[in-house]
Amino acid sequence: MLPPRNKTLSGASLTVLLLYAFVVCISDVLSSRDQTVHKLADRKLCADEECSHPISMGRARADYTAPDCRFINIHQGQIVYVYGKLKGRGSNFWHGSVQGGYFGEQASVLGFFPMSVVEVTQRLATDLIELPTVDWDFRC
């Protein structure tokens, strides 16, 4: 019969184990951020070349729950600013932001949402330019 082994880790072994666990956790967090997912469309319409000026604003007709990181959650009645409209295969989706205010103090968040969720109340740009989408448009 063998004598029982000492099951305590030395200080160096414990440090290496903790460092390894830390690196694994950080790499998982970093790899889950800034992911590019498939493009919803190849072309978009915007008010300017950077898509930084809103095309229109409207009010949400219904709640919408984002299916992934490219989309935004919207609550019925929220004011929505539309910055871009996808063309082609993604033409049912617009890109924009909602403001916190009435539904709590949240920062403005940009993302995609179905155009059917928003009733346009005011057009802010009439001359839209067509641009190609880039991977950055769909990065989480």
Side-chain angles (χ1 to χ4, degrees), residues 9-17:
L9 295 174
S10 69
S13 297
L14 184 59
T15 302
V16 169
L17 181 62

Side-chain angles (χ1 to χ4, degrees), residues 61-109:
R61 294 178 177 158
D63 288 350
Y64 174 71
T65 302
D68 65 41
C69 61
R70 297 170 295 175
F71 298 85
I72 56 173
N73 293 319
I74 297 176
H75 300 288
Q76 183 176 7
Q78 235 175 345
I79 301 297
V80 180
Y81 295 91
V82 179
Y83 289 90
K85 297 178 177 184
L86 296 181
K87 290 195 62 172
R89 68 177 187 261
S91 63
N92 291 329
F93 294 101
W94 290 350
H95 188 253
S97 68
V98 295
Q99 299 293 332
Y102 177 67
F103 292 98
E105 293 302 319
Q106 71 182 43
S108 178
V109 178

Side-chain angles (χ1 to χ4, degrees), residues 16-136:
V16 169
L17 181 62
L18 290 174
L19 182 59
Y20 175 76
F22 176 75
V23 168
V24 167
C25 288
I26 290 296
S27 66
D28 284 347
V29 168
L30 292 177
S31 67
S32 67
R33 292 178 49 197
D34 204 29
Q35 291 179 319
T36 300
V37 288
H38 78 278
K39 292 170 86 172
L40 297 172
D42 294 320
R43 309 284 299 166
K44 61 185 175 182
L45 295 172
C46 295
D48 62 290
E49 291 193 20
E50 291 81 30
C51 295
S52 61
H53 296 287
I55 295 170
S56 58
M57 60 186 290
R59 187 167 301 279
R61 294 178 177 158
D63 288 350
Y64 174 71
T65 302
D68 65 41
C69 61
R70 297 170 295 175
F71 298 85
I72 56 173
N73 293 319
I74 297 176
H75 300 288
Q76 183 176 7
Q78 235 175 345
I79 301 297
V80 180
Y81 295 91
V82 179
Y83 289 90
K85 297 178 177 184
L86 296 181
K87 290 195 62 172
R89 68 177 187 261
S91 63
N92 291 329
F93 294 101
W94 290 350
H95 188 253
S97 68
V98 295
Q99 299 293 332
Y102 177 67
F103 292 98
E105 293 302 319
Q106 71 182 43
S108 178
V109 178
L110 285 169
F112 293 99
F113 52 89
M115 67 181 191
S116 61
V117 172
V118 176
E119 178 182 352
V120 174
T121 57
Q122 187 172 4
R123 299 200 189 287
L124 303 173
T126 54
D127 296 328
L128 302 181
I129 56 175
E130 186 173 329
L131 301 165
T133 60
V134 294
D135 286 344
W136 184 254

